[in-house]
Amino acid sequence: MITLRSQREIEKIRKACHIVAEILQRLKERIHPGITTLELDALSEELALKHKAKPAFKGYHGFPFSLCASVNEEVVHGMPSRTRRLAEGDIVSLDFGVVVDGYYGDSAVTVPVGKISDEAERLRRVAEESLYAGIGQAVVGNRLSDISHAIQELVESRGYSVVREFVGHGIGQHLHESPQIPNYGQPGKGVKLKPGMVFAIEPMINMGGAAVEILEDRWTAVTVDRSLSAHFEHTMAVTQNGPDILSRL
Ligand code: MG
Ligand code: MG
């Protein structure tokens, strides 16, 4: 069942999302060659506490960190590391969430480290563009898979592939709620979209094949062919006036 959120609830989700957006912005500013992903994790936690917000991922199914930091061929759920230093030319997906007053916000960006290759920058841009293509279909009267289809079509038309194993999701009083929102599929399927639905839409796209595998740490997902991967995510509400992106500053 998909919970329909009142305007008052949407404002609470927006509050959590704004904190996430601000923290992602601060992390972005701190990224430079040589910084470790564990330093970024510590900073994300410190900033969350400053905002009186609780990091949403820490302890979630036992995940030990506040931030997911996925570098290059890492797709999602990258574990912050004391030894992994970001290097010039890397791309890193920063995925962060908080809970405030019982409501969750969730967002992700893929950030360049120093100067990156044109190929990596193009992948990054297409991933972000595909997020907005999906959000553009999150309108009253459309069906859920119209979001999925728009993402897949855009990504594949640019010669990249869409990850199948991880999906977008409903969000509100839990980090992950119904429905699941795949980033691929035929249009016109699934539930009809109604005002008050709140979704975290999050395409993950690969430069090579779509296949991913999980590393021995049991969290980090990487591309099987070790090609680059990029990930963007916004939390948004379906409204009578069109998509309302809650995790935008
Ligand atoms: Mg996320
Ligand atoms: Mg999410």
Side-chain angles (χ1 to χ4, degrees):
M1 198 193 71
I2 303 176
T3 307
L4 298 181
R5 302 290 171 188
S6 67
Q7 195 57 42
R8 191 188 67 86
E9 289 184 291
I10 289 174
E11 293 316 318
K12 287 193 161 205
I13 298 169
R14 192 192 311 276
K15 186 176 164 195
C17 284
H18 271 189
I19 293 171
V20 171
E22 262 179 47
I23 292 173
L24 285 176
Q25 183 57 39
R26 291 284 297 278
L27 296 177
K28 240 162 132 173
E29 291 161 9
R30 283 291 284 276
I31 286 205
H32 59 81
I35 196 168
T36 67
T37 49
L38 192 67
E39 289 174 86
L40 293 170
D41 175 67
L43 179 61
S44 73
E45 193 166 318
E46 179 192 318
L47 292 170
L49 297 179
K50 215 172 260 181
H51 281 98
K52 300 192 176 10
K54 188 172 167 293
F57 303 165
K58 197 164 192 166
Y60 187 84
H61 292 287
F63 189 74
F65 299 100
S66 296
L67 180 73
C68 293
S70 309
V71 186
N72 295 337
E73 75 282 0
E74 296 173 357
V75 178
V76 283
H77 306 158
M79 304 264 275
S81 152
R82 187 186 305 280
T83 52
R84 179 100 200 220
R85 289 184 189 281
L86 295 178
E88 179 101 15
D90 284 347
I91 56 173
V92 56
S93 149
L94 303 175
D95 191 351
F96 190 63
V98 299
V99 55
V100 186
D101 297 337
Y103 288 83
Y104 284 80
D106 187 9
S107 183
V109 287
T110 295
V111 183
V113 182
K115 185 162 170 38
I116 64 173
S117 69
D118 292 346
E119 293 74 34
E121 178 58 15
R122 183 168 176 270
L123 179 78
R124 214 181 62 79
R125 280 176 196 263
V126 170
E128 186 169 28
E129 224 181 298
S130 75
L131 168 61
Y132 285 103
I135 290 171
Q137 294 300 313
V139 296
V140 174
N142 266 4
R143 288 187 184 272
L144 191 65
S145 79
D146 292 325
I147 299 170
S148 313
H149 181 71
I151 292 169
Q152 181 181 20
E153 196 167 65
L154 186 125
V155 171
E156 292 182 352
S157 76
R158 305 296 168 83
Y160 300 133
S161 61
V162 167
V163 172
R164 279 14 185 206
E165 283 82 352
F166 303 100
V167 295
H169 49 94
I171 180 167
Q173 285 160 296
H174 303 276
L175 179 60
H176 295 126
E177 298 186 355
S178 185
Q180 295 198 346
I181 311 170
N183 295 302
Y184 65 96
Q186 294 298 313
K189 313 259 192 236
V191 294
K192 261 198 173 166
L193 303 185
K194 294 190 186 129
M197 290 181 176
V198 178
F199 300 145
I201 300 177
E202 51 177 318
M204 291 138 263
I205 78 168
N206 301 343
M207 200 173 269
V212 303
E213 61 188 0
I214 309 294
L215 295 182
E216 271 175 8
D217 64 22
R218 293 172 54 218
W219 281 103
T220 311
V222 298
T223 54
V224 167
D225 60 15
R226 301 300 190 261
S227 66
L228 287 183
S229 187
H231 173 215
F232 280 84
E233 175 178 28
H234 269 312
T235 296
M236 54 82 51
V238 178
T239 82
Q240 215 57 261
N241 307 317
D244 184 359
I245 300 176
L246 305 176
S247 53
R248 188 148 68 179
L249 280 180

Coordinates of all heavy atoms in Angstrom, one line a residue, residues 57 95-96 106-108 202 231 233, ligand 1:
F57 N 21.0 6.1 7.7 CA 21.5 4.9 7.2 C 22.2 4.1 8.3 O 22.3 2.9 8.2 CB 22.5 5.1 6.0 CG 22.0 5.8 4.8 CD1 22.8 6.3 3.9 CD2 20.6 6.0 4.7 CE1 22.3 7.0 2.8 CE2 20.1 6.7 3.6 CZ 20.9 7.2 2.6
D95 N 25.6 9.3 -1.0 CA 24.2 9.0 -0.8 C 24.0 9.2 0.7 O 24.7 8.6 1.5 CB 23.9 7.6 -1.2 CG 22.4 7.3 -1.2 OD1 21.6 8.1 -0.8 OD2 22.0 6.2 -1.7
F96 N 23.0 10.1 1.0 CA 22.8 10.4 2.5 C 21.3 10.6 2.8 O 20.5 11.0 1.9 CB 23.5 11.8 2.7 CG 23.6 12.1 4.2 CD1 24.3 11.3 5.1 CD2 23.0 13.3 4.7 CE1 24.4 11.6 6.4 CE2 23.1 13.6 6.0 CZ 23.8 12.8 6.9
D106 N 16.0 11.6 1.7 CA 17.0 10.7 1.1 C 17.4 11.4 -0.3 O 16.6 11.7 -1.1 CB 16.4 9.4 0.9 CG 17.3 8.3 0.4 OD1 18.6 8.5 0.4 OD2 16.8 7.2 0.0
S107 N 18.7 11.5 -0.5 CA 19.2 12.1 -1.8 C 20.6 11.7 -2.1 O 21.4 11.3 -1.1 CB 19.1 13.6 -1.7 OG 19.5 14.2 -2.9
A108 N 21.0 11.7 -3.3 CA 22.3 11.3 -3.7 C 22.8 12.1 -4.9 O 22.0 12.5 -5.7 CB 22.4 9.8 -4.1
E202 N 15.9 7.2 -8.0 CA 17.3 7.1 -7.9 C 17.9 6.2 -9.0 O 18.3 5.0 -8.7 CB 17.8 6.7 -6.5 CG 17.2 5.5 -5.9 CD 17.8 5.2 -4.5 OE1 19.0 5.3 -4.4 OE2 17.1 4.8 -3.6
H231 N 25.2 7.8 -10.0 CA 23.9 7.6 -9.2 C 23.5 9.0 -8.8 O 24.3 9.8 -8.2 CB 24.3 6.7 -8.0 CG 23.2 6.6 -7.0 ND1 23.5 6.5 -5.6 CD2 21.8 6.5 -7.1 CE1 22.4 6.3 -5.0 NE2 21.3 6.3 -5.8
E233 N 19.9 11.0 -6.9 CA 18.6 10.7 -6.2 C 18.0 11.9 -5.7 O 18.7 12.8 -5.1 CB 18.8 9.7 -5.1 CG 17.6 9.4 -4.2 CD 17.9 8.4 -3.1 OE1 19.0 8.3 -2.6 OE2 16.9 7.7 -2.7
Ligands
MG1 MG 19.7 7.4 -1.0

